């Protein structure tokens, strides 16, 4: 069992930056791939980025490539999402998830409660 708690969301102007954190409980964090997803009002939840258990392999959805960076610290049981050059279209609730590394929701077994990111124009 893994419990995930996101933090770091908030309100930022377009062009600004935020760093999301996801703290995981449990001693098996390092065995899981981790993902960040987001869901905007009226839209389906979509993958933003994913990282494998070691941090050696990452995936980004096209719209965030070059702006967002996913990383993890297995010693701290934490995964991060550094978001730079934020745009209003990045506004969403951001969720972290633990499971096998991938770009689909079905590949993840555990989910956090989400953190709101709002980007003003």
């Amino acid at each position: 069992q893994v419990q995930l708690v996101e933090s770091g969301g908030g309100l930022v102007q377009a062009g600004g930056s935020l760093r999301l954190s996801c703290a995981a409980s449990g001693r098996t964090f390092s065995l899981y791939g981790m993902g960040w997803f987001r869901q905007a009002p009226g839209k389906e939840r979509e993958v933003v980025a994913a990282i494998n258990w070691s941090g050696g392999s990452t995936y980004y959805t096209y719209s965030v490539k070059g702006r967002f960076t996913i990383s993890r610290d297995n010693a701290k049981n934490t995964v991060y999402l550094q978001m730079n050059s934020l745009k209003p279209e990045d506004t969403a609730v951001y969720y972290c998830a633990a499971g096998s590394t991938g770009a689909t929701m079905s590949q993840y077994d555990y989910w956090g409660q989400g953190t709101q990111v709002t980007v003003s124009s």
Side-chain angles (χ1 to χ4, degrees):
Q1 188 77 9
V2 177
Q3 293 184 327
L4 304 171
V5 179
E6 301 98 334
S7 61
L11 174 64
V12 64
Q13 289 187 332
S17 299
L18 284 173
R19 188 177 82 154
L20 304 184
S21 299
C22 174
S25 65
R27 295 176 293 177
T28 59
F29 172 78
S30 62
L31 299 180
Y32 289 94
M34 300 295 296
W36 283 99
F37 290 74
R38 66 186 180 187
Q39 188 167 18
K43 295 188 177 181
E44 294 187 351
R45 194 171 298 189
E46 63 173 358
V47 67
V48 175
I51 189 167
N52 74 334
W53 67 274
S54 69
S57 178
T58 57
Y59 166 87
Y60 297 95
T61 195
Y62 179 79
S63 63
V64 308
K65 281 184 178 179
R67 299 189 298 123
F68 290 11
T69 302
I70 189 171
S71 62
R72 67 188 296 161
D73 185 337
N74 287 342
K76 296 182 178 180
N77 281 11
T78 302
V79 62
Y80 305 97
L81 185 68
Q82 178 67 45
M83 305 186 295
N84 299 328
S85 302
L86 282 161
K87 304 176 181 180
E89 51 263 44
D90 295 318
T91 295
V93 177
Y94 283 70
Y95 300 88
C96 72
S100 57
T101 308
T104 60
M105 293 178 58
S106 62
Q107 292 173 287
Y108 294 87
D109 303 307
Y110 304 101
W111 293 83
Q113 83 288 349
T115 186
Q116 177 71 47
V117 172
T118 303
V119 184
S120 63
S121 57

